[in-house]
Coordinates of all heavy atoms in Angstrom, one line a residue:
Chain O
D32 N -8.8 4.6 29.1 CA -9.7 4.2 28.0 C -9.2 2.9 27.3 O -8.1 2.8 26.9 CB -9.6 5.4 27.0 CG -10.7 5.4 26.0 OD1 -11.1 4.3 25.6 OD2 -11.2 6.4 25.7
E34 N -9.7 1.9 24.5 CA -9.3 2.0 23.1 C -7.8 2.2 23.0 O -7.2 1.9 21.9 CB -10.0 3.3 22.5 CG -11.5 3.0 22.2 CD -12.2 4.1 21.6 OE1 -12.3 5.2 22.3 OE2 -12.6 4.1 20.5
H89 N 9.5 2.2 13.7 CA 9.5 2.8 12.4 C 10.4 2.1 11.4 O 10.0 1.9 10.2 CB 10.0 4.3 12.5 CG 8.9 5.2 13.0 ND1 9.1 6.6 13.2 CD2 7.6 5.0 13.4 CE1 8.0 7.1 13.7 NE2 7.1 6.2 13.8
M93 N 9.3 0.7 7.8 CA 10.0 1.0 6.5 C 10.6 -0.2 5.8 O 10.6 -0.2 4.6 CB 11.2 2.0 6.9 CG 10.7 3.3 7.4 SD 11.9 4.6 7.5 CE 12.8 4.1 9.0
W118 N -12.5 -5.5 10.7 CA -12.8 -4.0 10.4 C -12.8 -3.7 9.0 O -12.4 -4.4 8.1 CB -11.8 -3.2 11.2 CG -12.1 -3.2 12.7 CD1 -13.2 -3.4 13.3 CD2 -11.1 -2.8 13.7 NE1 -13.1 -3.3 14.7 CE2 -11.8 -2.9 15.0 CE3 -9.7 -2.5 13.7 CZ2 -11.1 -2.7 16.2 CZ3 -9.1 -2.2 14.9 CH2 -9.8 -2.3 16.1
Y119 N -13.2 -2.4 8.7 CA -13.3 -1.9 7.3 C -11.8 -1.5 6.9 O -11.0 -1.2 7.7 CB -14.1 -0.6 7.3 CG -15.6 -0.8 7.6 CD1 -16.0 -0.6 8.9 CD2 -16.5 -1.2 6.6 CE1 -17.4 -0.8 9.2 CE2 -17.8 -1.3 6.9 CZ -18.3 -1.1 8.2 OH -19.6 -1.3 8.5
Q124 N -2.7 -1.3 5.9 CA -2.6 0.1 6.0 C -2.9 0.6 7.4 O -2.2 1.5 8.0 CB -3.5 0.8 5.0 CG -3.2 2.2 4.7 CD -4.1 2.8 3.6 OE1 -4.5 2.1 2.7 NE2 -4.3 4.1 3.6
N135 N 5.8 7.6 16.9 CA 5.9 9.0 17.2 C 5.7 9.3 18.7 O 6.3 10.1 19.3 CB 4.7 9.7 16.5 CG 5.0 9.8 15.0 OD1 6.1 9.5 14.5 ND2 4.0 10.3 14.2
W140 N 7.8 10.8 23.9 CA 8.0 10.4 25.3 C 9.5 10.4 25.6 O 9.8 10.7 26.8 CB 7.4 9.0 25.6 CG 5.9 9.0 25.6 CD1 5.0 10.1 25.6 CD2 5.0 7.8 25.6 NE1 3.7 9.6 25.6 CE2 3.7 8.3 25.6 CE3 5.3 6.5 25.7 CZ2 2.6 7.4 25.7 CZ3 4.2 5.6 25.7 CH2 2.9 6.0 25.7
E143 N 10.5 13.8 26.6 CA 9.8 14.2 27.8 C 10.4 13.5 29.0 O 10.7 14.2 30.0 CB 8.3 13.9 27.7 CG 7.4 14.5 28.7 CD 6.0 14.2 28.4 OE1 5.6 13.9 27.3 OE2 5.2 14.2 29.4
R146 N 13.8 15.0 29.8 CA 13.8 16.4 30.4 C 13.2 16.3 31.8 O 13.6 17.2 32.7 CB 12.9 17.3 29.6 CG 13.7 17.9 28.4 CD 12.9 18.9 27.6 NE 11.9 18.2 26.8 CZ 10.7 18.0 27.0 NH1 10.1 18.5 28.1 NH2 9.9 17.3 26.2
R152 N 19.0 21.2 36.9 CA 18.8 22.0 35.7 C 20.1 22.3 35.0 O 20.2 22.3 33.7 CB 18.1 23.3 36.1 CG 17.6 24.2 35.0 CD 17.2 25.5 35.6 NE 15.8 25.6 35.9 CZ 15.3 26.6 36.7 NH1 16.1 27.5 37.2 NH2 14.0 26.6 36.9
E156 N 21.0 21.5 31.1 CA 21.2 22.5 30.1 C 22.5 22.2 29.3 O 22.6 22.6 28.2 CB 21.3 23.9 30.8 CG 19.9 24.4 31.0 CD 19.8 25.8 31.7 OE1 20.8 26.4 32.0 OE2 18.6 26.2 31.9
Q159 N 21.5 19.1 27.0 CA 20.3 19.1 26.1 C 20.8 19.3 24.6 O 20.2 18.6 23.7 CB 19.4 20.3 26.5 CG 18.1 20.3 25.7 CD 17.3 19.0 25.9 OE1 17.1 18.6 27.0 NE2 16.8 18.4 24.8
D163 N 19.6 16.8 21.6 CA 18.9 17.3 20.4 C 19.7 16.8 19.2 O 19.1 16.3 18.2 CB 18.9 18.8 20.4 CG 17.8 19.4 21.4 OD1 16.9 18.7 21.7 OD2 18.0 20.5 21.8
S167 N 18.4 14.3 15.9 CA 18.4 14.7 14.5 C 19.3 13.8 13.7 O 19.0 13.4 12.6 CB 18.9 16.1 14.3 OG 17.8 17.1 14.6
Y174 N 18.1 8.1 7.0 CA 17.8 8.6 5.7 C 19.0 8.2 4.7 O 18.8 7.7 3.6 CB 17.6 10.1 5.7 CG 17.4 10.7 4.3 CD1 16.2 10.5 3.6 CD2 18.4 11.4 3.7 CE1 16.0 11.0 2.3 CE2 18.2 11.9 2.4 CZ 17.0 11.7 1.7 OH 16.9 12.3 0.5
A181 N 19.3 2.3 -1.7 CA 18.6 2.5 -3.0 C 19.6 2.7 -4.2 O 19.4 2.2 -5.2 CB 17.7 3.7 -2.9
R192 N 30.3 5.3 7.0 CA 29.7 6.6 7.3 C 28.2 6.4 7.7 O 27.8 7.0 8.7 CB 29.8 7.4 6.0 CG 29.1 8.8 6.2 CD 29.6 9.7 5.1 NE 28.8 10.9 4.9 CZ 27.9 11.0 4.0 NH1 27.7 10.1 3.1 NH2 27.1 12.1 4.0
Chain K
D32 N 26.0 18.9 3.0 CA 26.0 17.6 2.2 C 24.9 17.5 1.2 O 23.7 17.6 1.6 CB 25.9 16.5 3.2 CG 26.4 15.2 2.6 OD1 26.0 15.0 1.4 OD2 27.0 14.4 3.3
E34 N 23.6 15.2 -0.2 CA 22.7 14.0 0.0 C 21.5 14.4 0.9 O 20.4 13.8 0.7 CB 23.4 12.9 0.7 CG 24.3 12.1 -0.2 CD 25.1 11.0 0.5 OE1 25.9 11.4 1.4 OE2 24.9 9.9 0.1
H89 N 3.2 12.6 7.9 CA 2.9 11.2 8.3 C 1.4 10.9 7.9 O 1.2 9.8 7.5 CB 3.1 11.1 9.8 CG 4.5 10.9 10.2 ND1 4.9 10.8 11.5 CD2 5.6 10.8 9.4 CE1 6.3 10.6 11.5 NE2 6.7 10.6 10.3
M93 N 0.1 7.7 5.9 CA -0.9 6.7 6.4 C -2.1 6.6 5.5 O -2.7 5.5 5.4 CB -1.3 7.2 7.8 CG -0.1 7.1 8.8 SD -0.7 7.4 10.5 CE -0.9 9.1 10.6
W118 N 16.9 3.9 -9.2 CA 17.6 3.2 -8.1 C 17.0 1.8 -7.9 O 16.1 1.4 -8.5 CB 17.4 4.0 -6.8 CG 18.3 5.2 -6.8 CD1 19.4 5.4 -7.5 CD2 18.1 6.4 -6.0 NE1 19.9 6.7 -7.2 CE2 19.1 7.3 -6.2 CE3 17.1 6.8 -5.0 CZ2 19.3 8.5 -5.6 CZ3 17.2 8.0 -4.4 CH2 18.3 8.9 -4.7
Y119 N 17.7 1.0 -7.0 CA 17.3 -0.3 -6.6 C 16.1 -0.3 -5.7 O 15.9 0.6 -4.9 CB 18.4 -1.1 -5.9 CG 19.7 -1.2 -6.7 CD1 20.7 -0.3 -6.6 CD2 19.8 -2.4 -7.5 CE1 21.9 -0.5 -7.4 CE2 21.0 -2.5 -8.3 CZ 22.0 -1.6 -8.2 OH 23.1 -1.8 -8.9
Q124 N 8.3 2.1 -1.5 CA 8.8 1.9 -0.1 C 9.8 2.9 0.3 O 9.8 3.4 1.4 CB 9.3 0.4 -0.1 CG 9.5 -0.1 1.3 CD 9.9 -1.6 1.3 OE1 9.6 -2.3 0.4 NE2 10.5 -2.0 2.4
N135 N 9.6 12.6 11.3 CA 10.3 12.5 12.6 C 11.2 13.7 12.8 O 11.3 14.2 13.9 CB 11.1 11.2 12.6 CG 10.3 9.9 12.7 OD1 9.1 10.0 12.9 ND2 10.9 8.8 12.6
W140 N 12.5 18.6 15.6 CA 12.8 20.0 15.5 C 11.7 20.9 16.1 O 12.0 21.9 16.7 CB 12.9 20.4 14.0 CG 14.1 19.9 13.3 CD1 15.2 19.3 13.9 CD2 14.4 20.0 11.9 NE1 16.1 18.9 12.9 CE2 15.6 19.3 11.7 CE3 13.7 20.5 10.8 CZ2 16.2 19.2 10.4 CZ3 14.2 20.3 9.5 CH2 15.5 19.7 9.3
E143 N 12.6 21.1 19.7 CA 13.8 21.8 19.9 C 13.6 23.4 19.7 O 14.1 24.2 20.4 CB 14.9 21.3 18.9 CG 16.3 21.7 19.2 CD 17.2 21.0 18.2 OE1 16.9 19.9 17.7 OE2 18.3 21.6 18.0
R146 N 11.8 24.9 22.6 CA 12.6 25.1 23.8 C 13.7 26.1 23.7 O 14.1 26.7 24.7 CB 13.2 23.7 24.2 CG 12.3 22.8 25.0 CD 13.0 21.5 25.4 NE 13.1 20.6 24.3 CZ 14.2 20.4 23.6 NH1 15.3 21.0 23.9 NH2 14.2 19.6 22.6
R152 N 13.1 31.3 31.1 CA 13.0 30.0 31.6 C 11.7 29.8 32.4 O 11.1 28.7 32.3 CB 14.2 29.8 32.5 CG 14.4 28.4 33.0 CD 15.5 28.4 34.0 NE 16.8 28.2 33.4 CZ 18.0 28.4 34.1 NH1 17.9 28.9 35.4 NH2 19.1 28.1 33.6
E156 N 9.0 26.9 31.7 CA 8.7 25.8 32.6 C 7.2 25.7 32.9 O 6.7 24.6 33.2 CB 9.5 26.1 33.9 CG 10.9 25.6 33.7 CD 11.8 25.8 35.0 OE1 11.3 26.2 36.0 OE2 13.0 25.4 34.9
Q159 N 5.8 24.1 29.4 CA 6.3 22.8 28.9 C 5.3 21.7 29.1 O 5.1 20.9 28.2 CB 7.7 22.5 29.5 CG 8.4 21.4 28.9 CD 8.7 21.6 27.4 OE1 9.2 22.6 27.0 NE2 8.3 20.6 26.5
D163 N 4.1 19.3 26.1 CA 4.2 17.8 26.1 C 2.8 17.1 25.9 O 2.7 16.2 25.1 CB 4.8 17.3 27.4 CG 6.3 17.7 27.6 OD1 6.9 17.8 26.5 OD2 6.8 17.8 28.7
S167 N 1.5 14.4 22.8 CA 1.0 13.1 23.0 C -0.5 13.0 22.6 O -0.9 12.0 22.0 CB 1.1 12.7 24.5 OG 2.4 12.4 24.9
Y174 N -4.6 8.2 16.4 CA -4.8 6.7 16.6 C -6.3 6.5 16.7 O -6.8 5.6 16.1 CB -4.0 6.2 17.8 CG -4.3 4.8 18.1 CD1 -3.7 3.8 17.3 CD2 -5.1 4.4 19.2 CE1 -3.9 2.4 17.6 CE2 -5.4 3.1 19.5 CZ -4.8 2.1 18.7 OH -5.0 0.8 18.9
A181 N -11.7 2.5 11.0 CA -11.6 1.1 10.8 C -12.9 0.3 11.3 O -13.4 -0.5 10.7 CB -10.4 0.5 11.5
R192 N -15.6 13.5 19.4 CA -14.5 13.1 20.3 C -13.1 13.0 19.5 O -12.1 13.6 19.9 CB -14.8 11.8 21.0 CG -13.7 11.3 21.9 CD -14.3 10.3 22.9 NE -13.2 9.5 23.5 CZ -12.8 8.3 23.1 NH1 -13.5 7.7 22.2 NH2 -11.8 7.7 23.8

Side-chain angles (χ1 to χ4, degrees):
Chain O
D32 199 320
E34 283 178 299
H89 281 180
M93 294 191 284
W118 284 339
Y119 297 94
Q124 200 173 331
N135 289 351
W140 289 350
E143 194 177 333
R146 276 181 285 101
R152 190 191 266 168
E156 280 181 1
Q159 190 63 49
D163 287 336
S167 282
Y174 176 75
R192 179 161 163 258
Chain K
D32 198 321
E34 283 178 298
H89 281 179
M93 294 192 283
W118 285 339
Y119 297 94
Q124 199 172 332
N135 290 350
W140 289 351
E143 194 176 333
R146 276 181 285 102
R152 189 190 269 168
E156 281 181 2
Q159 189 62 49
D163 287 336
S167 282
Y174 176 75
R192 179 160 163 258

